[in-house]
Amino acid sequence: MNEQAYEQEISLGKVFYRIFRDWRKIFVIALAIAVIAGAGNFVLKKLKSSDPEYISTAEQNYERELAAFRAKGETLEREITNLEKARTEQEEYNANSVLMKINPFRERNASLQLYVSTDYQILPGMDYQNIDLSNRILHSYITYMTNGNMYQYIADHLSESMELRYLEEILTVSEDLDNCMVTINVQGVDEAMCDDILSYALEGVLEKQKEITVTIGNHELNAVNQASFEAVNLELDELQKTNLQYVSDLSINLQEKAEELKTWKNSAEPQKEYTTTRIIKGSIKILILGFIIGAVLAAVFIAFQYIMSDKLQDAKELKNRFGLRVIAQIPQVHKKRVWVGFDRLFAHMGGLSMKESDAGNLAMVAARSVQAELEALQAEKKESDASGKVNLVCTGTIDQREIESLLSGMKWEKGYSVEQIPSILRDPSAVPAAMAADYVVLIEKQEESTYTQIERELEELAAWKKKVLGVIVIGVDAIP
């Protein structure tokens, strides 16, 4: 009977049942906290709203919040428009650019070098020398090649149309002024494309030669070092990957901004906090929040109290702790209550099987069980003479009126002396009565008797050499 050596196992199911069983208490506590919080918030806000300085500050905050809210929406719409435009332009570029169509590991290249020569000669011994027009002529060709005229000429003659911006990407011009040379380079999908572009470029330059000859002077334009070859261009490969990834990144950013805009549209605009309607709505929110918090706190308190309490919570614990036989469990009968359906539901969830309506029958069953045990004990001791009576006392730490009420409903048969005595821990007069008894039955009440008190009762009775038949637990939870 050493309680300290016993470690009670805490059942999570029992803890939850204990919480749900007291749902009315939880509801009342939560409602009280909710009303206090909601009413307090309403009173404080109404007092503030009567202050002109508070109203002025609140109005400024409202205007600022409203402007920021609308500006956010406009910014999101503008960003989405820009992203859509950027993605469309990039997709168009990826679809039409020649650079995006070239295989970077089999890039086709063609180049042509043009050399400008004149009849200029240095006259030995002459103070006056003729003007060398070579650089002027070369600059004229370079200007024609780079200012867009040559690109336009090529675009006009190609069998497949190509925008100038895509042509400028694959056709480049480099100059060597010291040697009066200019080089034209072409990148293409295949050899035919490169040859066509290069031939039209040369054709356009030759047509320009007539104009330059008339305008500047006679010269010769010679094509040298013409070549066509295939190469690997890792930079082009990286460029293509970057352009494709850019479209993917734009799509992801566009989706994120669209979702953000949708969230913004679904959100409510800032409201004036000092209006009566807003104060009432805010107070209702506080009331609901207070109810939830109150319910949680009450539930936690009940669970903590259940876990830490020394009071008798489960009759089975008496057997586990003290080895006591539980003779009977008598349900507690409640008066009619509102919403009793919830009590039934939680009782079933808690695994209860007894019904409150069975209390009377269970009391008589307890009496018959005790009598049967007494008969067995008498037969074992061979004390079955007709004149002998068994003296049985019932005691416990609860109110004596409850024990008396229980015994009156148990309907004992003749031949048994059943006496009710006060608690042997509190009333000295109970000691002689207990000493005169043959057997003792403890009557305890759920959530009133404590394990400590029961242990002390058992220790006293053991010291007096009194046999305890068992315990009857009253006030047990049952299905309404």
Side-chain angles (χ1 to χ4, degrees):
M1 295 187 297
N2 187 3
E3 186 180 1
Q4 292 182 348
Y6 173 79
E7 292 185 4
Q8 179 182 359
E9 293 184 3
I10 299 174
S11 170
L12 193 60
K14 291 181 180 179
V15 173
F16 278 113
Y17 165 71
R18 186 63 180 78
I19 294 172
F20 290 135
R21 193 201 68 174
D22 290 340
W23 66 270
R24 288 182 175 83
K25 293 180 182 178
I26 295 175
F27 180 82
V28 171
I29 294 172
L31 185 62
I33 293 175
V35 170
I36 293 172
N41 179 76
F42 180 81
V43 171
L44 290 176
K45 289 291 180 68
K46 288 298 287 184
L47 290 175
K48 283 186 177 181
S49 63
S50 62
D51 184 3
E53 184 177 351
Y54 169 78
I55 294 295
S56 176
T57 303
E59 182 71 26
Q60 293 176 4
N61 293 336
Y62 166 73
E63 295 294 339
R64 183 165 54 252
E65 291 176 2
L66 183 61
F69 177 82
R70 292 175 177 174
K72 181 179 180 181
E74 294 173 356
T75 301
L76 289 172
E77 290 176 347
R78 185 167 56 252
E79 289 177 347
I80 289 174
T81 301
N82 293 337
L83 287 171
E84 289 177 342
K85 181 180 179 182
R87 185 178 67 174
T88 301
E89 291 177 349
Q90 187 64 45
E91 288 176 341
E92 180 184 355
Y93 173 83
N94 292 347
N96 299 323
S97 174
V98 178
L99 285 179
M100 296 299 294
K101 299 176 182 178
I102 297 174
N103 183 350
F105 299 100
R106 298 193 65 180
E107 181 189 57
R108 198 68 196 181
N109 291 269
S111 64
L112 174 66
Q113 199 170 51
L114 298 176
Y115 171 68
V116 176
S117 63
T118 62
D119 57 358
Y120 172 76
Q121 292 182 355
I122 298 175
L123 300 176
M126 297 294 293
D127 293 333
Y128 174 80
Q129 300 288 334
N130 294 329
I131 298 174
D132 186 2
L133 301 176
S134 300
N135 281 341
R136 295 182 185 181
I137 294 171
L138 184 60
H139 274 296
S140 297
Y141 280 112
I142 293 173
T143 301
Y144 167 73
M145 293 177 184
T146 57
N147 67 0
N149 290 333
M150 182 181 71
Y151 294 104
Q152 187 62 56
Y153 181 88
I154 297 171
D156 292 341
H157 289 78
L158 287 174
S159 58
E160 295 183 6
S161 61
M162 183 185 301
E163 293 185 32
L164 292 181
R165 54 175 176 160
Y166 303 131
L167 182 59
E168 291 175 358
E169 287 183 334
I170 61 174
L171 179 62
T172 58
V173 177
S174 57
E175 60 189 47
D176 184 358
L177 298 178
D178 294 335
N179 296 311
C180 295
M181 301 181 73
V182 60
T183 303
I184 302 175
N185 295 289
V186 181
Q187 299 169 271
V189 177
D190 51 35
E191 184 177 0
M193 173 185 281
C194 294
D195 291 344
D196 284 347
I197 293 174
L198 199 59
S199 62
Y200 287 128
L202 181 58
E203 186 178 304
V205 171
L206 292 176
E207 283 195 8
K208 188 65 177 178
Q209 182 180 11
K210 300 174 184 178
E211 181 183 339
I212 295 175
T213 299
V214 174
T215 305
I216 300 177
N218 293 326
H219 63 279
E220 290 183 4
L221 186 62
N222 302 306
V224 296
N225 298 331
Q226 185 170 352
S228 178
F229 58 93
E230 197 173 69
V232 175
N233 191 341
L234 296 179
E235 292 183 359
L236 177 60
D237 180 56
E238 187 64 30
L239 175 65
Q240 292 176 348
K241 291 178 180 178
T242 301
N243 288 339
L244 294 174
Q245 183 62 42
Y246 183 53
V247 173
S248 178
D249 293 342
L250 287 173
S251 298
I252 294 173
N253 291 338
L254 185 60
Q255 183 179 0
E256 291 175 351
K257 292 297 179 181
E259 291 176 355
E260 192 174 348
L261 179 62
K262 182 179 179 181
T263 303
W264 176 84
K265 288 182 177 179
N266 292 334
S267 60
E269 286 190 354
Q271 301 293 326
K272 295 181 178 181
E273 296 293 336
Y274 46 85
T275 62
T276 302
T277 303
R278 289 294 297 173
I279 292 175
I280 293 175
K281 288 183 178 180
S283 298
I284 292 175
K285 290 181 180 179
I286 295 295
L287 186 144
I288 295 173
L289 183 61
F291 183 87
I292 295 173
I293 294 175
V296 172
L297 291 177
V300 170
F301 175 77
I302 290 173
F304 181 78
Q305 187 180 45
Y306 171 79
I307 294 172
M308 301 302 295
S309 175
D310 185 48
K311 291 183 178 180
L312 172 59
Q313 302 287 352
D314 189 349
K316 294 179 181 178
E317 284 295 307
L318 296 176
K319 180 178 180 180
N320 296 335
R321 284 175 182 257
F322 311 117
L324 275 176
R325 171 179 171 244
V326 179
I327 298 172
Q329 299 183 57
I330 312 301
Q332 181 179 3
V333 181
H334 295 90
K335 296 180 180 179
K336 287 187 177 181
R337 295 171 292 178
V338 295
W339 298 329
V340 72
F342 289 107
D343 297 298
R344 293 194 185 100
L345 174 63
F346 296 142
H348 286 295
M349 291 174 60
L352 303 185
S353 57
M354 290 187 297
K355 296 181 180 180
E356 292 184 5
S357 58
D358 295 335
N361 290 334
L362 291 173
M364 288 188 288
V365 169
R368 299 297 181 270
S369 175
V370 172
Q371 290 170 2
E373 185 174 0
L374 291 175
E375 290 175 0
L377 290 172
Q378 283 181 307
E380 187 176 312
K381 292 182 178 181
K382 299 181 179 180
E383 297 175 352
S384 57
D385 56 291
S387 60
K389 285 189 177 181
V390 177
N391 184 16
L392 175 69
V393 296
C394 296
T395 185
T397 58
I398 61 176
D399 191 335
Q400 296 304 298
R401 287 173 296 183
E402 294 190 78
I403 298 179
E404 182 180 356
S405 176
L406 173 65
L407 294 179
S408 64
M410 294 178 75
K411 299 180 180 180
W412 297 89
E413 294 181 356
K414 295 180 180 180
Y416 297 94
S417 172
V418 181
E419 182 182 358
Q420 168 199 348
I421 64 174
S423 172
I424 60 175
L425 300 180
R426 295 193 296 265
D427 194 330
S429 64
V431 177
M435 291 295 296
D438 297 313
Y439 302 102
V440 178
V441 173
L442 295 180
I443 300 178
E444 307 294 345
K445 187 174 183 180
Q446 180 176 300
E447 296 188 20
E448 184 173 322
S449 302
T450 66
Y451 293 116
T452 302
Q453 290 173 336
I454 296 172
E455 181 180 22
R456 289 180 56 199
E457 285 181 317
L458 294 173
E459 288 176 347
E460 293 294 331
L461 293 171
W464 303 340
K465 309 297 182 181
K466 294 300 173 181
K467 181 174 178 58
V468 179
L469 297 182
V471 60
I472 299 175
V473 181
I474 64 174
V476 176
D477 292 334
I479 301 173

